[in-house]
Short mmCIF file of all heavy atoms in Angstrom, two decimals:
data_model
loop_
_atom_site.label_atom_id
_atom_site.label_comp_id
_atom_site.label_asym_id
_atom_site.label_seq_id
_atom_site.Cartn_x
_atom_site.Cartn_y
_atom_site.Cartn_z
N ASP A 1 22.01 -17.23 -16.64
CA ASP A 1 21.01 -17.40 -15.61
C ASP A 1 20.85 -16.05 -14.92
O ASP A 1 21.61 -15.72 -14.00
CB ASP A 1 21.44 -18.48 -14.62
CG ASP A 1 20.45 -18.71 -13.49
OD1 ASP A 1 19.45 -17.96 -13.38
OD2 ASP A 1 20.67 -19.66 -12.71
N VAL A 2 19.88 -15.25 -15.38
CA VAL A 2 19.74 -13.88 -14.87
C VAL A 2 19.31 -13.84 -13.41
O VAL A 2 19.66 -12.89 -12.70
CB VAL A 2 18.81 -13.02 -15.74
CG1 VAL A 2 19.38 -12.82 -17.12
CG2 VAL A 2 17.42 -13.57 -15.80
N VAL A 3 18.60 -14.82 -12.95
CA VAL A 3 18.20 -14.86 -11.53
C VAL A 3 19.45 -14.97 -10.67
O VAL A 3 19.65 -14.21 -9.72
CB VAL A 3 17.22 -16.02 -11.25
CG1 VAL A 3 16.95 -16.15 -9.77
CG2 VAL A 3 15.92 -15.81 -12.02
N GLN A 4 20.34 -15.91 -10.99
CA GLN A 4 21.58 -16.08 -10.23
C GLN A 4 22.49 -14.88 -10.41
O GLN A 4 23.11 -14.41 -9.46
CB GLN A 4 22.30 -17.36 -10.64
CG GLN A 4 23.54 -17.64 -9.81
CD GLN A 4 23.24 -17.83 -8.34
OE1 GLN A 4 22.38 -18.61 -7.98
NE2 GLN A 4 23.94 -17.10 -7.49
N LEU A 5 22.58 -14.36 -11.63
CA LEU A 5 23.44 -13.21 -11.88
C LEU A 5 22.96 -12.00 -11.09
O LEU A 5 23.76 -11.28 -10.49
CB LEU A 5 23.49 -12.90 -13.38
CG LEU A 5 24.47 -11.81 -13.82
CD1 LEU A 5 25.91 -12.15 -13.40
CD2 LEU A 5 24.39 -11.61 -15.32
N ALA A 6 21.66 -11.76 -11.05
CA ALA A 6 21.11 -10.65 -10.26
C ALA A 6 21.45 -10.84 -8.79
O ALA A 6 21.84 -9.88 -8.10
CB ALA A 6 19.60 -10.54 -10.46
N GLN A 7 21.33 -12.06 -8.30
CA GLN A 7 21.68 -12.37 -6.91
C GLN A 7 23.15 -12.08 -6.65
O GLN A 7 23.51 -11.51 -5.63
CB GLN A 7 21.37 -13.84 -6.62
CG GLN A 7 21.64 -14.26 -5.20
CD GLN A 7 20.60 -13.77 -4.23
OE1 GLN A 7 19.46 -13.54 -4.60
NE2 GLN A 7 20.99 -13.59 -3.00
N ASP A 8 24.01 -12.44 -7.59
CA ASP A 8 25.45 -12.23 -7.45
C ASP A 8 25.84 -10.75 -7.53
O ASP A 8 26.78 -10.31 -6.87
CB ASP A 8 26.22 -13.00 -8.52
CG ASP A 8 26.14 -14.52 -8.34
OD1 ASP A 8 25.69 -14.99 -7.27
OD2 ASP A 8 26.50 -15.22 -9.30
N LEU A 9 25.15 -9.98 -8.37
CA LEU A 9 25.54 -8.59 -8.61
C LEU A 9 25.04 -7.62 -7.55
O LEU A 9 25.64 -6.58 -7.33
CB LEU A 9 25.02 -8.14 -9.98
CG LEU A 9 25.58 -8.88 -11.19
CD1 LEU A 9 24.96 -8.32 -12.47
CD2 LEU A 9 27.09 -8.79 -11.25
N THR A 10 23.94 -7.96 -6.89
CA THR A 10 23.33 -7.04 -5.93
C THR A 10 24.28 -6.59 -4.82
O THR A 10 24.31 -5.40 -4.50
CB THR A 10 22.03 -7.62 -5.36
OG1 THR A 10 21.14 -7.86 -6.46
CG2 THR A 10 21.37 -6.67 -4.39
N PRO A 11 25.10 -7.47 -4.22
CA PRO A 11 26.02 -6.98 -3.19
C PRO A 11 27.00 -5.92 -3.71
O PRO A 11 27.33 -4.98 -3.00
CB PRO A 11 26.78 -8.24 -2.74
CG PRO A 11 25.89 -9.37 -3.10
CD PRO A 11 25.16 -8.93 -4.34
N TYR A 12 27.46 -6.06 -4.94
CA TYR A 12 28.35 -5.05 -5.52
C TYR A 12 27.62 -3.72 -5.68
O TYR A 12 28.15 -2.66 -5.38
CB TYR A 12 28.88 -5.50 -6.88
CG TYR A 12 29.73 -6.74 -6.84
CD1 TYR A 12 29.24 -7.95 -7.29
CD2 TYR A 12 31.04 -6.70 -6.37
CE1 TYR A 12 30.01 -9.10 -7.27
CE2 TYR A 12 31.82 -7.84 -6.34
CZ TYR A 12 31.30 -9.03 -6.80
OH TYR A 12 32.08 -10.17 -6.78
N ALA A 13 26.40 -3.80 -6.19
CA ALA A 13 25.61 -2.59 -6.43
C ALA A 13 25.31 -1.88 -5.12
O ALA A 13 25.49 -0.66 -5.01
CB ALA A 13 24.31 -2.94 -7.17
N THR A 14 24.88 -2.62 -4.10
CA THR A 14 24.54 -1.97 -2.83
C THR A 14 25.78 -1.42 -2.13
O THR A 14 25.71 -0.38 -1.49
CB THR A 14 23.77 -2.93 -1.90
OG1 THR A 14 24.53 -4.12 -1.69
CG2 THR A 14 22.40 -3.28 -2.46
N THR A 15 26.91 -2.08 -2.28
CA THR A 15 28.15 -1.55 -1.70
C THR A 15 28.54 -0.24 -2.37
O THR A 15 28.92 0.72 -1.71
CB THR A 15 29.30 -2.57 -1.84
OG1 THR A 15 28.94 -3.75 -1.12
CG2 THR A 15 30.60 -2.02 -1.28
N ALA A 16 28.41 -0.18 -3.69
CA ALA A 16 28.72 1.05 -4.40
C ALA A 16 27.75 2.17 -4.03
O ALA A 16 28.15 3.32 -3.84
CB ALA A 16 28.68 0.81 -5.91
N ILE A 17 26.47 1.83 -3.89
CA ILE A 17 25.48 2.83 -3.49
C ILE A 17 25.77 3.34 -2.09
O ILE A 17 25.70 4.55 -1.83
CB ILE A 17 24.05 2.25 -3.59
CG1 ILE A 17 23.69 1.96 -5.05
CG2 ILE A 17 23.03 3.21 -2.96
CD1 ILE A 17 22.45 1.10 -5.22
N THR A 18 26.13 2.44 -1.18
CA THR A 18 26.46 2.83 0.18
C THR A 18 27.66 3.78 0.19
O THR A 18 27.70 4.75 0.92
CB THR A 18 26.75 1.59 1.05
OG1 THR A 18 25.58 0.77 1.07
CG2 THR A 18 27.12 1.98 2.47
N ALA A 19 28.65 3.50 -0.65
CA ALA A 19 29.86 4.31 -0.68
C ALA A 19 29.66 5.66 -1.35
O ALA A 19 30.16 6.68 -0.87
CB ALA A 19 30.97 3.55 -1.39
N TYR A 20 28.94 5.69 -2.47
CA TYR A 20 28.84 6.91 -3.27
C TYR A 20 27.48 7.59 -3.23
O TYR A 20 27.34 8.68 -3.74
CB TYR A 20 29.14 6.60 -4.74
CG TYR A 20 30.59 6.31 -5.02
CD1 TYR A 20 30.94 5.39 -5.99
CD2 TYR A 20 31.62 6.95 -4.35
CE1 TYR A 20 32.27 5.11 -6.29
CE2 TYR A 20 32.94 6.68 -4.63
CZ TYR A 20 33.26 5.77 -5.60
OH TYR A 20 34.56 5.50 -5.88
N GLY A 21 26.47 6.94 -2.68
CA GLY A 21 25.13 7.51 -2.72
C GLY A 21 24.64 7.58 -4.15
O GLY A 21 25.05 6.79 -5.01
N ALA A 22 23.79 8.54 -4.43
CA ALA A 22 23.22 8.67 -5.77
C ALA A 22 24.28 9.02 -6.81
O ALA A 22 24.08 8.79 -8.00
CB ALA A 22 22.11 9.71 -5.78
N ALA A 23 25.43 9.53 -6.38
CA ALA A 23 26.51 9.88 -7.31
C ALA A 23 27.13 8.64 -7.94
O ALA A 23 27.95 8.76 -8.85
CB ALA A 23 27.58 10.68 -6.58
N VAL A 24 26.72 7.45 -7.49
CA VAL A 24 27.25 6.21 -8.06
C VAL A 24 26.99 6.12 -9.56
O VAL A 24 27.72 5.46 -10.28
CB VAL A 24 26.67 4.98 -7.32
CG1 VAL A 24 25.23 4.75 -7.68
CG2 VAL A 24 27.50 3.74 -7.59
N LEU A 25 25.97 6.79 -10.04
CA LEU A 25 25.63 6.72 -11.45
C LEU A 25 26.43 7.72 -12.30
O LEU A 25 26.30 7.75 -13.52
CB LEU A 25 24.13 6.98 -11.66
CG LEU A 25 23.23 5.93 -11.01
CD1 LEU A 25 21.77 6.31 -11.19
CD2 LEU A 25 23.50 4.55 -11.55
N ALA A 26 27.28 8.50 -11.65
CA ALA A 26 28.12 9.46 -12.38
C ALA A 26 29.13 8.70 -13.23
O ALA A 26 29.56 7.61 -12.89
CB ALA A 26 28.85 10.38 -11.41
N ARG A 27 29.49 9.29 -14.34
CA ARG A 27 30.40 8.63 -15.28
C ARG A 27 31.82 8.50 -14.76
O ARG A 27 32.52 7.55 -15.05
CB ARG A 27 30.39 9.41 -16.59
CG ARG A 27 31.33 8.82 -17.63
CD ARG A 27 30.69 8.73 -18.96
NE ARG A 27 31.60 8.36 -19.99
CZ ARG A 27 31.94 7.10 -20.26
NH1 ARG A 27 31.47 6.12 -19.57
NH2 ARG A 27 32.78 6.83 -21.25
N VAL A 28 32.28 9.46 -13.98
CA VAL A 28 33.67 9.50 -13.55
C VAL A 28 33.89 8.63 -12.31
O VAL A 28 33.13 8.69 -11.37
CB VAL A 28 34.08 10.96 -13.23
CG1 VAL A 28 35.52 11.03 -12.76
CG2 VAL A 28 33.89 11.83 -14.45
#
């Protein structure tokens, strides 16, 4: 269920973005 999965994953993604900024996409 991609709608529910997207809803569930967004808090993790935004927390990582808040912590690392654009560097969140770095491999390391």
Side-chain angles (χ1 to χ4, degrees):
D1 179 354
V2 295
V3 173
Q4 184 61 52
L5 187 58
Q7 182 75 27
D8 292 348
L9 297 180
T10 301
Y12 296 106
T14 56
T15 299
I17 293 166
T18 300
Y20 288 146
V24 73
L25 297 177
R27 178 134 172 84
V28 179

